[in-house]
Amino acid sequence: MDFETSVFDKEYISLAGTREGIVRGGRHLFGRLPQAFAGIGRIGVIGWGPQASAQAPNLRDSLSGTDIEVVVGLREGSASREAARAAGFREEEGTLGEMFEVIGSSDLVLLLISDAAQAALYEEIFAALRPGTTLGLSHGFLLGHLDQMGSTFPEGIDVVAVCPKGMGASVRALYLQGAETNGAGINASFAVHQDATGRATERALGWSVGLGAPFTFQTTLRSEYLSDLTGERSILLGGVHGIVESLYRRFRDQGLSETDAYRHSVDSVTGPISRTVSKDGLIGLYRRLDDPQKEVFAQAYAAAYPVGLELTHEIYDEVASGNEIRSVILAGQRLSRFPMGRIDQADMWRAGEVARQDRDQENLPLDAFTAGTFCGVMMGQVDTFIEKGHPYSEIANESVIEATDSLNPYMHARGVAFMVDNCSTTARLGSRKWAPRFDYLLTQTAYATVDHRPAALDTTLVKAFEEHPIHEVLRICAEMRPSVSIFVQ
Amino acid sequence: MDFETSVFDKEYISLAGTREGIVRGGRHLFGRLPQAFAGIGRIGVIGWGPQASAQAPNLRDSLSGTDIEVVVGLREGSASREAARAAGFREEEGTLGEMFEVIGSSDLVLLLISDAAQAALYEEIFAALRPGTTLGLSHGFLLGHLDQMGSTFPEGIDVVAVCPKGMGASVRALYLQGAETNGAGINASFAVHQDATGRATERALGWSVGLGAPFTFQTTLRSEYLSDLTGERSILLGGVHGIVESLYRRFRDQGLSETDAYRHSVDSVTGPISRTVSKDGLIGLYRRLDDPQKEVFAQAYAAAYPVGLELTHEIYDEVASGNEIRSVILAGQRLSRFPMGRIDQADMWRAGEVARQDRDQENLPLDAFTAGTFCGVMMGQVDTFIEKGHPYSEIANESVIEATDSLNPYMHARGVAFMVDNCSTTARLGSRKWAPRFDYLLTQTAYATVDHRPAALDTTLVKAFEEHPIHEVLRICAEMRPSVSIFVQ
């Protein structure tokens, strides 16, 4: 996998012995955007969800002073019209219009409506695209849906993706910070799926640089949706939810108070563990432990890693086979009759609400058993992605960095629902589906083995962890991290 | 839905205002089997799993003294060869052979190999069938698999199903009891999916009567696999597992000892609740409660019914879309690397093992909250099946009778793994997948509502329960129940 650009400066990084091409962003490059967008007079941003409402103003601001116009397209009667107007997109100025009109009149169409809407409307959308248009996506769900419908993108258009590694709110907030703070902005991956114009790569890179991405990595559309949907069902949302529920219960059964059980499970993962991993990597977390703690970590790790590996393989198969996408579509059809319930109403999260009220942020426990369990499941995902051939930059982002820098801070601030339900419907459904599986498998096999058959634990696993190439990858990725926290509350 | 038979005596029963045709069985009808099997010289029973090892000897014994030969077909090198020989099937007598040879030389082929083997081998099997053969299945999984492969059964053959409403061991044991006890035997449903010979109905009914079924109900192959796969994922296995895990935890949190929590959750469901429902129906269970208990039941029922309805709808959609069958096939491919773990190693089931040792069977608690939860989820399944148009005989069997008479007795005897892991691989995988979902949704929404927002409970639900047509259906079905316990330990 590689790419050519004459507009931007490609650099190579070496991750675990693999060379990956990247593009460094920055405001000083905004002057090159007209060249990257050669042939584009109008960029249509379709929708006003979290990504659209961040990307449209970012691109408009980056392109101010050029002839390239950024126009927002909404469906007739959209409830978001006022919000788009308040952000400066106006019918009377020609920068706000009906979605199909905008699609048909734009040269670059960023399709940022919900997954369910993409699945429902893609035929009409494809029909409205003119030949030579570049269709832009911010993740690969639509490709997954087309795959399972036995359909494809229309010929004669470009299909590219730019996928910011953070929530929409962060994409806008860090862009604004970037005006003053060097290196602020959200990293992104990009993919070229179809290149009808011969300009697809430059346009995708221009889009990413225009959004303010400090670094842009390469992937494919398929690799992106496989790792994205799998990651959020595994360690990013579903996995971590199942982990903390099972650990909380375990600590309660061991006699800890509600608050202490919350401190040693949720607070430990979302506080010191995530902060340490973010700063010093997974190996840095391990090195912070003293020898007796390292032994506890090793036991929990040896028990939890097989669970992470098994369930991430299962999830990956379900995503790759199209099952998971079909599931999301079917669930969408049931939502009006069976709306998603609240996931934070049981005793544990009520106790958490109390526990969060008097929390000494600097002295939260770094529980070694919790750390071993969390890292074990996380590494099960990392190794699944390696086995499936994903690029290391994607593996690090979708398994580790997004967890510690982007998502766990939400759970830290206001509990599990604030993390999960700030994500897409696809992610919220997936997390609800898989969290209980992690909980059960950890309880049935991992903890039961630690408690009753510790001799059966594979002690070589933590050795493999210590020597894992992911640590060097995380070290390099850390150097390319935005210079400010990407968590926006 | 109706059928014609000139060999057996069709009767009609009325279930909730719907007329269903049935056939009453009995040993006195074995003399009619040659007529039902007209044109059949050889019946090939393929495989030696629980159903095959029961059905082959039953049919052989029922047909003894006729010209119709029952032959067992096993794959080359099968580990079951000795068991089949021990049951009286022998190569030297021509009643034991290689499976494809048996398939190609039989006029009625009962394909009773595992779902995974059916999915892997169906093309070869279809190729081996001669035109005019009757292919018999004991559940509809293969149709589901063909549906999702975009394939169909070959033309020119009959495709029928006879689905005993009990495990293989019961099918054999009650047949043997039937020699002395009038009415012993396992009821079955039958379906005619393709009728190339014009004899498919008589052959299917002959098969069912020959197995010893006291009553044979009609269904379709598709209806059978939808209700079968859904039912085992919902109340029959996955649902009841999730219910008792969540209730045990709830009782522990309320301060009960491990043994008492087990008594009020598992023992209560598998003991007095199942026994009472089996004998007096769901309404009989409710009527046994005094007024304060009825109120507790009503609360739990109102909270649990929506969970049962929502999750059974989700499961039904997953089964009908082919997702669940694809999932089973994918899981089968992972099993050698990730074998299924044990589901009874966590503390609850260890406590259960102790609790079962000194159990006063006659004085187990009938816990009203547990009863309301169990009945609520069960009725969620009943109403889903009614909405989807299943015949009432099937609904009663797949939602209530199989639970209380066939499966829960296994959990009663030796815990959850003894129940789940005595079932097919398809069922074991499905139960592992869905049990945690029932647990989480009950905990997150049902119990949380009872504890914190009881005013939000829909009190009309228990009223609808009291007036539900299922009670009359269960009363009629109870009259057609085998006269002896179908649970074989």
Side-chain angles (χ1 to χ4, degrees):
Chain A
M1 200 160 59
D2 202 351
F3 61 94
E4 294 306 324
T5 171
S6 60
V7 177
F8 300 100
D9 306 310
K10 182 175 70 171
E11 300 170 41
Y12 285 111
I13 55 172
S14 172
L15 297 176
T18 326
R19 201 178 69 159
E20 294 191 26
I22 61 153
V23 165
R24 205 181 288 261
R27 294 191 162 241
H28 62 290
L29 299 173
F30 290 174
R32 300 190 196 172
L33 293 179
Q35 198 188 335
F37 287 142
I40 292 179
R42 177 179 257 224
I43 298 176
V45 179
I46 311 304
W48 197 256
Q51 282 297 333
S53 60
Q55 295 194 22
N58 283 17
L59 288 174
R60 178 194 58 200
D61 296 354
S62 298
L63 289 164
S64 84
T66 72
D67 292 339
I68 303 169
E69 191 178 45
V70 176
V71 185
V72 171
L74 300 176
R75 62 187 162 68
E76 208 67 70
S78 163
S80 303
R81 182 173 164 272
E82 281 315 309
R85 285 183 61 83
F89 295 92
R90 309 275 163 79
E91 291 92 343
E92 57 271 29
E93 292 167 14
T95 55
L96 179 58
E98 191 279 327
M99 71 177 268
F100 286 102
E101 227 166 79
V102 174
I103 290 170
S105 62
S106 298
D107 311 296
L108 170 60
V109 173
L110 308 186
L111 189 66
L112 304 179
I113 55 178
S114 72
D115 294 340
Q118 292 190 29
L121 298 176
Y122 74 91
E123 286 172 317
E124 285 172 77
I125 291 167
F126 289 174
L129 292 166
R130 292 171 309 178
T133 302
T134 300
L135 175 66
L137 305 166
S138 274
H139 78 132
F141 181 91
L142 183 56
L143 173 61
H145 184 61
L146 293 177
D147 278 352
Q148 67 110 335
M149 302 299 287
S151 187
T152 55
F153 291 101
E155 287 178 25
I157 63 161
D158 299 341
V159 180
V160 305
V162 168
C163 314
K165 300 298 166 193
M167 295 187 178
S170 311
V171 171
R172 181 60 179 163
L174 269 75
Y175 177 87
L176 294 172
Q177 282 186 275
E180 280 133 40
T181 309
N182 197 25
I186 294 289
N187 287 338
S189 61
F190 88 100
V192 173
H193 186 71
Q194 272 184 203
D195 188 0
T197 64
R199 308 268 325 143
T201 301
E202 304 292 10
R203 289 174 175 185
L205 291 172
W207 173 14
S208 187
V209 169
L211 290 182
F215 291 93
T216 304
F217 304 92
Q218 188 184 14
T219 186
T220 67
L221 201 55
R222 183 161 282 111
S223 182
E224 197 283 330
Y225 90 75
L226 289 170
S227 61
D228 186 56
L229 265 71
T230 301
E232 70 198 15
R233 279 152 179 73
S234 184
I235 195 64
L236 299 183
L237 297 173
V240 73
H241 181 193
I243 288 169
V244 296
E245 290 245 7
S246 60
L247 285 172
Y248 175 85
R249 205 163 56 239
R250 178 176 172 79
F251 291 135
R252 287 286 289 148
D253 287 347
Q254 291 176 347
L256 268 62
S257 71
E258 292 190 335
T259 293
D260 282 346
Y262 194 82
R263 294 269 182 269
H264 282 262
S265 55
V266 181
D267 278 344
S268 192
V269 165
T270 61
I273 292 172
S274 288
R275 278 203 305 269
T276 307
V277 172
S278 178
K279 202 163 145 279
D280 303 319
L282 289 162
I283 197 68
L285 174 70
Y286 181 67
R287 290 197 182 126
R288 249 188 78 174
L289 305 174
D290 61 24
D291 284 350
Q293 288 176 322
K294 278 202 172 84
E295 273 193 45
V296 172
F297 178 99
Q299 274 213 325
Y301 184 92
Y305 173 85
V307 169
L309 190 71
E310 174 178 344
L311 279 177
T312 312
H313 267 80
E314 178 173 343
I315 295 169
Y316 199 97
D317 279 357
E318 292 292 296
V319 172
S321 68
N323 277 357
E324 202 63 28
I325 287 181
R326 257 184 307 272
S327 238
V328 167
I329 309 262
L330 290 167
Q333 293 162 0
R334 287 189 308 269
L335 274 180
S336 58
R337 179 167 175 194
F338 301 111
M340 278 187 262
R342 294 177 62 179
I343 58 176
D344 61 354
Q345 292 303 294
D347 293 343
M348 167 181 177
W349 299 103
R350 291 174 184 270
E353 213 178 323
V354 175
R356 287 195 302 273
Q357 279 162 19
D358 65 331
R359 191 162 56 175
D360 177 0
Q361 297 286 358
E362 298 314 308
N363 288 298
L364 294 173
L366 197 174
D367 186 281
F369 191 87
T370 296
T373 305
F374 179 70
C375 291
V377 173
M378 183 174 264
M379 289 301 299
Q381 176 172 320
V382 166
D383 282 345
T384 302
F385 284 174
I386 291 173
E387 196 177 320
K388 303 291 185 181
H390 289 261
Y392 269 100
S393 59
E394 187 167 79
I395 295 170
N397 258 305
E398 300 288 334
S399 306
V400 184
I401 299 168
E402 203 171 326
T404 58
D405 293 18
S406 179
L407 291 163
N408 287 347
Y410 280 80
M411 183 152 64
H412 193 69
R414 292 195 234 157
V416 68
F418 189 57
M419 173 180 73
V420 172
D421 291 336
N422 256 306
C423 296
S424 70
T425 300
T426 304
R428 295 172 65 200
L429 289 165
S431 183
R432 280 167 168 77
K433 182 169 169 179
W434 293 95
R437 295 288 308 283
F438 282 91
D439 184 336
Y440 261 52
L441 213 53
L442 286 168
T443 304
Q444 287 169 346
T445 69
Y447 308 152
T449 308
V450 168
D451 292 340
H452 301 288
R453 299 189 304 127
L457 293 170
D458 179 356
T459 51
T460 65
L461 288 171
V462 81
K463 192 87 198 141
F465 168 73
E466 285 187 71
E467 292 161 6
H468 203 283
I470 192 71
H471 305 307
E472 175 65 5
V473 171
L474 288 173
R475 195 189 57 73
I476 297 169
C477 289
E479 291 170 6
M480 297 187 286
R481 212 86 63 80
S483 52
V484 296
S485 163
I486 70 169
F487 171 60
V488 176
Q489 199 171 328
Chain B
M1 200 159 63
D2 201 351
F3 61 94
E4 294 305 324
T5 171
S6 60
V7 177
F8 300 101
D9 305 309
K10 183 174 68 170
E11 301 169 39
Y12 285 111
I13 55 173
S14 171
L15 297 176
T18 326
R19 199 177 70 159
E20 294 191 26
I22 60 155
V23 164
R24 205 180 286 260
R27 294 189 164 241
H28 61 289
L29 299 174
F30 290 174
R32 299 191 197 172
L33 294 179
Q35 198 190 337
F37 288 142
I40 292 178
R42 178 180 256 223
I43 298 175
V45 178
I46 311 303
W48 197 256
Q51 283 297 333
S53 60
Q55 293 193 23
N58 283 16
L59 288 175
R60 178 196 56 199
D61 296 352
S62 298
L63 290 165
S64 84
T66 73
D67 292 337
I68 303 168
E69 188 177 47
V70 177
V71 184
V72 170
L74 300 176
R75 65 187 160 68
E76 208 65 72
S78 162
S80 303
R81 181 172 165 272
E82 282 314 309
R85 285 182 60 83
F89 295 92
R90 309 274 162 79
E91 292 91 344
E92 57 271 28
E93 292 166 13
T95 54
L96 179 60
E98 191 279 328
M99 70 177 268
F100 286 101
E101 227 167 77
V102 174
I103 290 170
S105 61
S106 296
D107 311 296
L108 170 60
V109 174
L110 308 186
L111 189 66
L112 303 179
I113 56 178
S114 74
D115 294 339
Q118 292 189 28
L121 298 176
Y122 74 91
E123 287 172 315
E124 285 172 78
I125 291 166
F126 289 174
L129 292 167
R130 293 172 307 180
T133 303
T134 300
L135 175 65
L137 304 165
S138 274
H139 80 133
F141 181 91
L142 183 55
L143 173 63
H145 183 61
L146 293 177
D147 279 351
Q148 69 110 335
M149 302 299 288
S151 186
T152 54
F153 291 101
E155 288 177 26
I157 62 161
D158 299 341
V159 180
V160 304
V162 168
C163 313
K165 300 299 165 192
M167 296 186 176
S170 311
V171 170
R172 182 60 180 163
L174 270 73
Y175 177 87
L176 294 174
Q177 281 187 277
E180 280 133 41
T181 311
N182 197 24
I186 295 288
N187 287 338
S189 61
F190 88 100
V192 172
H193 187 69
Q194 271 183 204
D195 188 0
T197 64
R199 309 270 322 146
T201 300
E202 303 292 9
R203 288 173 176 187
L205 291 173
W207 174 14
S208 187
V209 169
L211 290 181
F215 291 93
T216 303
F217 304 92
Q218 189 184 14
T219 185
T220 68
L221 201 54
R222 183 161 283 111
S223 181
E224 197 284 329
Y225 90 75
L226 289 170
S227 60
D228 185 56
L229 266 71
T230 301
E232 70 198 14
R233 280 151 179 74
S234 186
I235 196 64
L236 298 183
L237 296 174
V240 73
H241 181 192
I243 288 169
V244 296
E245 291 246 4
S246 61
L247 285 172
Y248 175 85
R249 206 164 55 240
R250 178 176 172 79
F251 291 134
R252 287 286 289 147
D253 288 347
Q254 291 176 347
L256 268 61
S257 71
E258 294 190 333
T259 294
D260 282 345
Y262 194 83
R263 294 270 182 269
H264 282 262
S265 56
V266 182
D267 278 345
S268 193
V269 165
T270 60
I273 293 173
S274 288
R275 277 203 305 269
T276 307
V277 172
S278 177
K279 201 163 146 278
D280 303 318
L282 289 161
I283 197 67
L285 173 70
Y286 181 67
R287 291 197 181 127
R288 248 187 79 172
L289 305 174
D290 62 24
D291 283 351
Q293 288 176 322
K294 279 202 172 84
E295 273 194 45
V296 172
F297 178 98
Q299 274 214 324
Y301 185 91
Y305 172 85
V307 170
L309 190 72
E310 173 177 346
L311 279 176
T312 311
H313 266 81
E314 178 173 344
I315 295 168
Y316 199 97
D317 279 357
E318 292 292 296
V319 172
S321 69
N323 276 357
E324 202 63 28
I325 286 181
R326 258 184 307 272
S327 237
V328 167
I329 308 266
L330 291 166
Q333 293 162 359
R334 286 190 309 269
L335 275 181
S336 58
R337 181 169 173 193
F338 301 112
M340 279 187 261
R342 293 176 62 180
I343 58 176
D344 60 354
Q345 293 303 292
D347 293 343
M348 168 182 176
W349 299 103
R350 290 173 185 272
E353 212 177 323
V354 176
R356 287 196 301 274
Q357 279 162 19
D358 64 332
R359 191 162 56 176
D360 176 0
Q361 297 286 1
E362 298 314 308
N363 288 297
L364 294 173
L366 198 174
D367 186 282
F369 191 87
T370 297
T373 306
F374 179 70
C375 291
V377 172
M378 184 174 262
M379 289 302 299
Q381 175 172 320
V382 165
D383 282 346
T384 302
F385 284 173
I386 291 174
E387 196 176 320
K388 303 290 185 181
H390 289 261
Y392 270 100
S393 59
E394 187 167 79
I395 295 170
N397 259 305
E398 300 288 334
S399 306
V400 185
I401 299 168
E402 203 170 326
T404 57
D405 293 18
S406 178
L407 292 163
N408 288 345
Y410 279 80
M411 183 152 65
H412 193 70
R414 291 194 234 157
V416 68
F418 189 57
M419 173 179 73
V420 172
D421 291 336
N422 255 306
C423 297
S424 69
T425 300
T426 303
R428 295 172 66 201
L429 289 165
S431 183
R432 280 167 170 77
K433 183 168 170 180
W434 293 95
R437 295 289 308 284
F438 282 91
D439 183 336
Y440 261 52
L441 214 53
L442 286 168
T443 304
Q444 288 170 346
T445 68
Y447 308 152
T449 308
V450 168
D451 292 340
H452 302 288
R453 299 190 303 127
L457 293 170
D458 180 356
T459 50
T460 64
L461 287 171
V462 81
K463 191 87 200 141
F465 168 73
E466 287 186 70
E467 292 161 5
H468 203 284
I470 193 70
H471 304 308
E472 174 65 4
V473 171
L474 288 172
R475 194 188 59 73
I476 298 169
C477 289
E479 292 170 6
M480 298 188 283
R481 210 88 63 78
S483 50
V484 296
S485 163
I486 71 168
F487 171 61
V488 176
Q489 200 169 329

